[in-house]
């Protein structure tokens, strides 16, 4: 994963840069907890949060296409460790060194009694961007919440809150992606005044505030993809329950973009 490349680019352009850069973390403020019951699997939490720079690229890994039982996998318990694990997994994915971890019988049996995911990915419904594959993670590793254009509604907010407040997940990543159809539709409807069918209009309405009118064409779509991620991230950070966890250093909320052309995940500032 590397940091965001500043200037807006065409929707089919490839972002440059290979080194991991600084990660700004959202730190607001907050309140209580919800839903303690059925699915809860309490996780270990790390201490305060002080991420100044993103971890460097992971070391080369042996190529493998089959899941092997991990001895005793250590769950990343801080935002820093969770980001590092996602970075390593994305590197495996884009270099075709996937490990397909945590799929063995022992893991499956252990997961019948609880779950301890280390990151929550709020991503788009696009079939080309499944988080478990793009980050090379396995059963019980990620909690994924997906909606067109990462749009928030009460169900999505409740799902994110459950992961953070009840499962103590230390990292929330809002993950947009290159060539997002929901963003393209919102940009086009905004330009033409076209009314979109049924509930698709709701999605476009939620994305509209993020539309960047300073650029045109593909550059507008690309810029809006990033701006929409930042907008959703800021909305999550403003939720009192989540803000309290951020302020305490127990969770980080970050934004990122997945490039289809390179399979690389870029963190957004």
């Amino acid at each position: 994963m590397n940091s965001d490349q500043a200037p807006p680019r065409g929707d089919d352009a490839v972002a440059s840069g290979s080194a991991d850069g600084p990660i700004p973390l959202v730190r607001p403020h907050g309140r209580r907890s919800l839903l303690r019951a059925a699915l809860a699997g309490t996780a270990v939490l790390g201490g305060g949060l002080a991420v100044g720079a993103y971890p460097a690229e992971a070391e080369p890994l042996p190529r493998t296409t089959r899941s092997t039982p991990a001895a005793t996998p250590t769950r990343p318990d801080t935002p820093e460790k969770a980001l590092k694990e996602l970075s390593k997994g994305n590197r495996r994915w884009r270099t075709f060194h996937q490990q397909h971890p945590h799929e063995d019988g022992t893991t499956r049996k252990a997961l019948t009694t609880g779950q301890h995911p280390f990151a929550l990915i709020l991503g788009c419904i696009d079939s080309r961007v499944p988080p478990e594959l793009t980050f090379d993670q396995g059963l019980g590793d990620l909690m994924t919440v997906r909606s067109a254009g990462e749009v928030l509604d009460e169900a999505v907010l409740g799902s994110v809150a459950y992961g953070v407040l009840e499962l103590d997940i230390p990292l929330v990543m809002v993950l947009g992606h290159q060539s997002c159809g929901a963003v393209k539709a919102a940009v086009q409807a905004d330009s033409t005044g076209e009314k979109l069918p049924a509930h698709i209009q709701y999605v476009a309405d939620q994305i509209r505030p993020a539309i960047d009118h300073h650029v045109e064409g593909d550059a507008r779509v690309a810029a809006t993809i990033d701006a929409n991620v930042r907008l959703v991230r800021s909305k999550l950070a403003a939720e009192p329950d989540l803000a309290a966890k951020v302020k305490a250093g127990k969770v980080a909320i970050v934004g990122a973009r997945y490039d289809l052309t390179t399979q690389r995940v870029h963190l957004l500032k």
Side-chain angles (χ1 to χ4, degrees):
M1 264 186 236
N2 71 345
S3 59
D4 181 43
Q5 307 300 313
R9 60 204 200 315
D11 201 36
D12 293 322
V14 180
S16 61
S18 59
D20 292 319
I23 301 176
L25 296 172
V26 184
R27 293 178 168 260
H29 172 235
R31 86 175 147 118
R32 41 113 263 217
S33 180
L34 57 69
L35 288 165
R36 243 166 196 84
L39 278 164
T42 324
V44 182
L45 274 172
L49 195 170
V51 180
Y54 199 67
E57 289 283 15
E59 65 282 356
L61 292 154
R63 183 182 296 271
T64 177
T65 56
R66 302 182 64 182
S67 174
T68 53
T72 32
T74 303
R75 173 193 187 269
D77 57 4
T78 67
E80 298 96 327
K81 292 176 183 177
L83 276 169
K84 184 175 182 180
E85 181 57 39
L86 291 181
S87 178
K88 289 161 68 175
N90 179 245
R91 185 175 189 271
R92 294 194 300 268
W93 163 254
R94 68 178 187 268
T95 59
F96 299 94
H97 287 81
Q98 301 97 304
Q99 293 181 341
H100 305 291
H102 308 151
E103 297 176 359
D104 58 280
T106 302
T107 299
R108 297 182 194 196
K109 184 175 180 180
L111 288 172
T112 62
T113 59
Q115 59 172 324
H116 307 276
F118 70 84
L120 186 150
I121 311 297
L122 170 55
C124 184
I125 58 172
D126 196 293
S127 63
R128 300 167 292 179
V129 195
E132 290 86 354
L133 295 183
T134 58
F135 292 111
D136 191 29
Q137 299 300 318
L139 295 172
D141 293 331
L142 303 179
M143 177 169 283
T144 57
V145 182
R146 302 178 71 178
S147 67
E150 308 88 58
V151 162
L152 296 176
D153 62 13
E154 284 300 306
V156 172
L157 282 169
S159 299
V160 174
Y162 182 83
V164 173
L165 303 177
E166 301 303 315
L167 299 184
D168 288 332
I169 293 174
L171 179 68
V172 175
M173 176 180 284
V174 182
L175 182 64
H177 67 93
Q178 180 185 8
S179 300
C180 178
V183 171
K184 284 183 177 179
V187 168
Q188 182 176 354
D190 180 70
S191 299
T192 64
E194 172 191 2
K195 189 78 174 173
L196 298 174
H199 302 290
I200 301 175
Q201 184 63 50
Y202 173 83
V203 173
D205 289 343
Q206 299 304 304
I207 295 172
R208 181 175 290 115
I211 294 175
D212 188 337
H213 293 97
H214 295 96
V215 286
E216 301 290 339
D218 288 346
R220 176 173 293 183
V221 173
T224 301
I225 287 169
D226 291 358
N228 183 56
V229 167
R230 295 186 181 101
L231 176 63
V232 173
R233 180 183 64 189
S234 67
K235 287 181 177 179
L236 289 176
E239 285 292 310
D241 288 327
L242 303 182
K245 287 275 194 177
V246 172
K247 186 178 181 182
K250 293 182 176 180
V251 68
I253 304 173
V254 301
R257 179 190 65 248
Y258 178 77
D259 282 347
L260 297 172
T261 49
T262 64
Q263 295 86 58
R264 182 187 291 272
V265 173
H266 303 263
L267 289 173
L268 300 178
K269 293 179 181 177

